[in-house]
Amino acid sequence: MDKITDCKILGKSETKFKTISKAYILEKKSTGGGGQASYNLPESFFNELIKKDILIESEPVKAKNNQQNKVFKINEKFKVVLSNTVLKLLKNPITEEKLPMFLVVEGNGNKPQIRPSAYEEYKKKGLYLEYNLDWFKELYDNNSEENIMIYTFENDTFIIDIEEKNHIENTTIENFENIDTKINKPHQRIFFGAPGTGKSYKLNKEAERNFDKNNISRVTFHPNYNYGNFIGTFKPFPKIKNDNETITYTYVPGILTKLLIRALNNPTEDFLLIIEEINRANTAAVFGDFFQLLDRDKNGNSEYDIVASEDLKLLFSKNKISENINTECLETIQHDEISVAEENLPYNQTDFKLKLPSNFYIWATMNSADQGVMPLDTAFKRRWEFEYIGINDAYDKSKSEFNAYNFFKIMKMN
């Protein structure tokens, strides 16, 4: 039975708007879930979902006063996405056979809520049994105090996420083994806009939400940055033997190669390379033949492979290769018929066909208003998804905080 953990597809839509709601856990509750307030939906957000036909009215459920509460379900035209922070709290994996159902209850003057009781009543009535009606009860029982529920609708996707504020004690290794590494984000992204608009801030927030901090590497491009820095190169090192100092050359892998080896050796984990100021270096020269690997197939692996250069082959030969390595993305080909020029270069008989695996992501920032940057050619740009950060985006999202800051600043001056 195939596990689906990154995206539960319920259909398509051409809706083009984005809205985000955060629901904070407001009370401690020993029975789990952190309190009903955790799963309130703000009315403006709820009304927008109804207005756009993202939520549609379904069968009502009983209220405590024997009246009925309205229930709204996700329109089957749209996608529902459970992030990894949600999935790791579920006892049972989401499967192709039973996709998750999303229900919201409204009635008796209460705020729109996601309630376990609605899922249980639907299950008793035999409604939508073709969907997974158990996932929310598992989330409710296992969620933790101080966590923040985040509901996002963007284009045709409804995303349910958790911003973790503390460690979840009851999460076990077994839970994590049921989690696929796929993330519902592009493998190559560029956040672009004028300086000071919050590109790095937004990238960092999304990186923290989707990746383990130990699996993130960061580099800043500059005009002197080159292929040797990024991929790797031979560098001279002093070597002392019998009181004699000589110079020897050692292959030093670049930041991309080091992270790539970790991603290949750990296919169940996700890895992110962050490139700040990607257009301040000559990207064609920096990426070199790795440029070919930026085309991804539907599974997230590189569409095309490259044959590793001799220095990279030496690196792969000397590094310990895990038994769990992603063989789709690092294929070893032995050429016994090829003679070896020197005895100390046995790796010449082995080729490595290399691809970027689906658990390897590259996200970058780019200034679009500076004159001292290098242009990106069309062939390079088409392999990335661009997200524009406007000058007023940060202000529009934090008006209350900004206005409060100005108020206190003026009061202090007076």
Side-chain angles (χ1 to χ4, degrees):
M1 183 181 293
D2 293 330
K3 298 188 292 291
I4 298 178
T5 55
D6 62 322
C7 185
K8 293 79 197 170
I9 298 176
L10 301 181
K12 291 185 177 180
S13 169
E14 296 301 320
T15 304
K16 300 296 181 185
F17 84 102
K18 179 177 180 179
T19 182
I20 299 175
S21 171
K22 288 188 177 183
Y24 294 79
I25 291 179
L26 301 178
E27 61 181 357
K28 187 175 181 180
K29 190 174 181 182
S30 60
T31 55
Q36 278 291 95
S38 315
Y39 307 103
N40 290 341
L41 287 181
E43 290 188 4
S44 58
F45 179 71
F46 175 70
N47 292 335
E48 187 71 7
L49 296 180
I50 293 176
K51 180 180 177 182
K52 299 289 185 179
D53 284 332
I54 299 160
L55 290 178
I56 56 176
E57 191 167 349
S58 184
E59 296 286 332
V61 294
K62 288 183 180 179
K64 291 182 179 179
N65 55 7
N66 291 325
Q67 294 182 354
Q68 289 187 324
N69 288 335
K70 290 183 179 180
V71 175
F72 293 82
K73 62 181 285 290
I74 192 77
N75 192 325
E76 296 180 11
K77 295 179 180 179
F78 303 100
K79 294 187 295 185
V80 175
V81 174
L82 302 182
S83 74
N84 281 350
T85 54
V86 174
L87 291 165
K88 69 183 181 183
L89 298 177
L90 306 185
K91 295 178 181 178
N92 300 302
I94 304 300
T95 66
E96 286 273 7
E97 288 75 16
K98 283 199 172 185
L99 303 172
M101 172 57 65
F102 182 74
L103 303 174
V104 182
V105 179
E106 183 195 41
N108 292 327
N110 294 323
K111 292 182 178 179
Q113 292 180 337
I114 312 167
R115 298 181 187 172
S117 58
Y119 287 83
E120 291 169 0
E121 188 168 333
Y122 266 40
K123 196 172 180 180
K124 289 178 182 178
K125 289 182 176 180
L127 298 173
Y128 303 107
L129 296 181
E130 66 272 27
Y131 291 92
N132 186 324
L133 298 174
D134 297 321
W135 73 271
F136 182 71
K137 181 65 166 60
E138 294 177 13
L139 171 64
Y140 187 87
D141 289 342
N142 295 319
N143 206 351
S144 178
E145 183 189 7
E146 296 184 12
N147 283 346
I148 299 173
M149 297 300 302
I150 303 175
Y151 308 99
T152 305
F153 189 85
E154 183 174 8
N155 296 333
D156 64 343
T157 305
F158 187 81
I159 304 166
I160 303 173
D161 196 4
I162 293 175
E163 185 174 323
E164 296 178 330
K165 291 297 182 182
N166 61 354
H167 178 66
I168 298 176
E169 300 291 344
N170 59 356
T171 301
T172 65
I173 294 176
E174 287 74 19
N175 295 139
F176 283 96
E177 288 176 349
N178 288 329
I179 298 174
D180 201 318
T181 59
K182 293 180 181 178
I183 292 174
N184 188 44
K185 297 291 181 183
H187 282 82
Q188 283 116 221
R189 309 172 73 188
I190 293 179
F191 296 83
F192 74 103
T197 52
K199 299 181 294 296
S200 295
Y201 178 82
K202 182 171 183 180
L203 189 157
N204 288 339
K205 284 296 183 183
E206 293 203 15
E208 290 172 5
R209 187 181 301 169
N210 291 283
F211 298 88
D212 187 312
K213 64 180 181 179
N214 296 319
N215 293 346
I216 300 174
S217 294
R218 184 187 303 272
V219 64
T220 302
F221 279 10
H222 55 80
N224 290 328
Y225 200 77
N226 57 39
Y227 181 89
N229 302 129
F230 195 52
I231 307 299
T233 187
F234 279 95
K235 292 185 178 180
F237 282 88
K239 183 178 181 181
I240 299 176
K241 186 176 182 181
N242 298 328
D243 295 329
N244 294 322
E245 184 174 341
T246 59
I247 298 296
T248 184
Y249 285 83
T250 301
Y251 185 78
V252 180
I255 188 169
L256 182 144
T257 306
K258 288 189 287 188
L259 194 65
L260 176 58
I261 290 175
R262 290 183 59 201
L264 290 168
N265 278 325
N266 300 277
T268 60
E269 299 179 37
D270 293 308
F271 294 83
L272 172 65
L273 176 61
I274 297 175
I275 303 174
E276 299 278 10
E277 309 288 353
I278 191 171
N279 59 335
R280 290 194 181 276
N282 184 340
T283 53
V286 172
F287 277 84
D289 52 349
F290 274 66
F291 166 83
Q292 183 74 11
L293 303 181
L294 297 180
D295 271 320
R296 305 284 189 130
D297 62 22
K298 63 181 181 180
N299 297 317
N301 298 325
S302 294
E303 184 79 38
Y304 311 105
D305 59 57
I306 61 170
V307 176
S309 59
E310 295 298 316
D311 42 9
L312 276 177
K313 289 196 299 187
L314 177 61
L315 178 68
F316 286 126
S317 298
K318 287 187 174 182
N319 273 271
K320 182 179 179 181
I321 302 299
S322 167
E323 293 180 357
N324 298 321
I325 194 166
N326 187 341
T327 54
E328 292 182 11
C329 297
L330 185 63
E331 182 182 357
T332 303
I333 302 174
Q334 192 72 24
H335 299 293
D336 295 330
E337 70 278 7
I338 298 178
S339 60
V340 180
E342 298 180 29
E343 291 184 0
N344 63 336
L345 298 177
Y347 58 89
N348 276 346
Q349 289 183 297
T350 303
D351 272 340
F352 289 97
K353 284 190 173 181
L354 182 64
K355 291 182 178 181
L356 298 182
S358 61
N359 63 328
F360 187 81
Y361 294 75
I362 307 175
W363 294 355
T365 64
M366 182 180 85
N367 279 332
S368 58
D370 284 349
Q371 297 298 317
V373 296
M374 298 193 181
L376 303 179
D377 63 71
T378 304
F380 184 83
K381 288 194 291 186
R382 76 167 184 82
R383 290 165 166 83
W384 301 75
E385 180 166 313
F386 283 76
E387 183 169 341
Y388 176 66
I389 310 297
I391 295 176
N392 294 323
D393 284 5
Y395 169 72
D396 291 339
K397 292 177 181 178
S398 307
K399 283 183 180 179
S400 59
E401 294 181 21
F402 183 84
N403 293 334
Y405 171 78
N406 280 340
F407 173 78
F408 286 115
K409 187 177 179 181
I410 293 171
M411 290 292 291
K412 190 172 181 180
M413 290 174 65
N414 294 334

